[in-house]
Amino acid sequence: MKIERYSFGEIVINGNKFTSDLKLFPNMIKANWWRKEGHNLLPEDMEDVIQENPEIVIIGTGKLGVMKVSKEFIELARSNNIKLIIENTEKAIDIFNKLPDKNKVIAVFHLTC
């Protein structure tokens, strides 16, 4: 999958425009992603991601980086041998697009603040 464009509140992936936060799996996109506590990313927000057993999880924390990743989720990822990349969404997308093999990569993006 290729992320073609990102701007505040909008992302284009393989020609499809999305205007809500999403999870990008190797074989599908889960749009309209909501977190239990809004701008806090908790372990329960990522249960489906952990179940996929990725090698890398890329987290885009928003245009301005407002979304915070809980220590509990960071610990959960470490205990499952998952490498985390946590950046503002623009930089996270750049990193995602540069990865040569995305088969064991899941990316989640907060599209606004």
Side-chain angles (χ1 to χ4, degrees), residues 60-76:
T61 59
K63 186 81 169 172
L64 303 173
V66 172
M67 187 178 77
K68 303 301 177 204
V69 180
S70 70
K71 291 178 184 173
E72 294 83 6
F73 176 69
I74 292 170
E75 283 302 314
L76 178 63

Side-chain angles (χ1 to χ4, degrees), residues 21-23 31-35 41 45-46 67 108-109:
D21 295 357
L22 56 83
K23 294 178 178 178
N32 299 314
W33 171 47
W34 294 98
R35 289 154 307 283
L41 181 64
D45 300 319
M46 300 289 279
M67 187 178 77
V108 300
F109 299 116

Side-chain angles (χ1 to χ4, degrees), residues 5-59:
R5 186 169 38 88
Y6 166 70
S7 60
F8 188 92
E10 182 178 296
I11 191 169
V12 177
I13 304 169
N14 293 343
N16 297 304
K17 181 170 89 170
F18 298 88
T19 57
S20 63
D21 295 357
L22 56 83
K23 294 178 178 178
L24 184 56
F25 292 80
N27 58 351
M28 72 173 157
I29 298 169
K30 288 188 177 180
N32 299 314
W33 171 47
W34 294 98
R35 289 154 307 283
K36 182 179 177 183
E37 292 186 10
H39 287 110
N40 294 312
L41 181 64
L42 303 172
E44 51 263 43
D45 300 319
M46 300 289 279
E47 289 173 354
D48 55 343
V49 170
I50 297 296
Q51 288 174 358
E52 291 293 318
N53 195 30
E55 291 177 6
I56 300 171
V57 171
I58 299 172
I59 301 172

